[in-house]
Amino acid sequence: MRSLAGYYTQLSSRDQKALKFLLVFLLGCIVVLGIIFPSYRFYSESKQTLLSNQKLLLWMTDNRDNVSQVTAKQPFSPKDLPLIQLVSASADDKGITISRLQPEGEQRVRLWLSNTDFNTFIQWLQDLNLQSTLDISTISIDKTNTPGVVNVQALITSEQ
């Protein structure tokens, strides 16, 4: 730092003024490019987001009655879910952990269950068949070393 101060004092007064001007100019550029422009860009983007969200809120408010009428006419049914979500959600409801779930087109899904209680699995299959009109196309049940616990591979097909 002392060497810079020494170098500065050795410069002519004209060069010192030019160096001061250059430093002020660079500092101004840093302030403008590093603070003012990013702040203005953030302000502009925030203003656009606000306007967009206000339009969305206005649209939602205007269409609230239409949406409530539609949902009142069409109650939610598990049959409305895609097959893979229906199988996954119903398994979660029964406490069954799916090891692997692989879709095979729109109407079929293959699943693997490891170390699953046999009675819980059978009850889950019955519920799937009754509530969701799903069929088991193929199934392979293998016993494990633990009584009442099985490994399962099944292909579930939708009747839709």
Side-chain angles (χ1 to χ4, degrees):
M1 195 68 173
R2 288 183 182 178
S3 64
L4 286 177
Y7 177 75
Y8 178 76
T9 57
Q10 290 178 356
L11 293 175
S12 67
S13 64
R14 182 176 173 196
D15 289 342
Q16 287 179 355
K17 286 181 185 179
L19 188 57
K20 285 180 186 177
F21 176 76
L22 181 62
L23 287 174
V24 169
F25 177 76
L26 288 175
L27 183 62
C29 288
I30 290 172
V31 167
V32 168
L33 295 175
I35 297 173
I36 294 175
F37 282 168
S39 298
Y40 181 74
R41 184 174 57 238
F42 176 76
Y43 168 77
S44 298
E45 290 172 359
S46 298
K47 192 173 181 180
Q48 288 288 33
T49 302
L50 174 67
L51 292 174
S52 173
N53 288 340
Q54 285 175 336
K55 287 180 184 177
L56 177 61
L57 177 63
L58 182 63
W59 180 86
M60 289 171 60
T61 305
D62 290 344
N63 291 302
R64 176 181 29 209
D65 295 334
N66 295 341
V67 171
S68 60
Q69 289 173 358
V70 169
T71 56
K73 291 178 185 176
Q74 299 174 353
F76 174 75
S77 168
K79 295 177 186 177
D80 296 335
L81 288 175
L83 178 61
I84 196 163
Q85 287 180 339
L86 177 64
V87 169
S88 180
S90 65
D92 285 345
D93 290 344
K94 287 289 185 183
I96 295 175
T97 304
I98 298 175
S99 301
R100 184 174 168 196
L101 193 60
Q102 178 179 343
E104 294 188 358
E106 294 286 323
Q107 305 296 325
R108 300 177 347 157
V109 65
R110 186 171 302 277
L111 62 93
W112 287 261
L113 307 173
S114 298
N115 299 322
T116 302
D117 179 66
F118 180 76
N119 292 332
T120 305
F121 170 69
I122 294 300
Q123 183 62 43
W124 176 62
L125 286 182
Q126 287 176 341
D127 290 347
L128 271 180
N129 192 299
L130 294 174
Q131 296 173 358
S132 311
T133 63
L134 298 179
D135 282 332
I136 290 69
S137 299
T138 61
I139 190 167
S140 171
I141 301 175
D142 300 319
K143 69 178 184 174
T144 62
N145 294 335
T146 308
V149 177
V150 294
N151 293 328
V152 178
Q153 179 182 352
L155 179 64
I156 298 176
T157 307
S158 173
E159 294 179 355
Q160 295 175 351

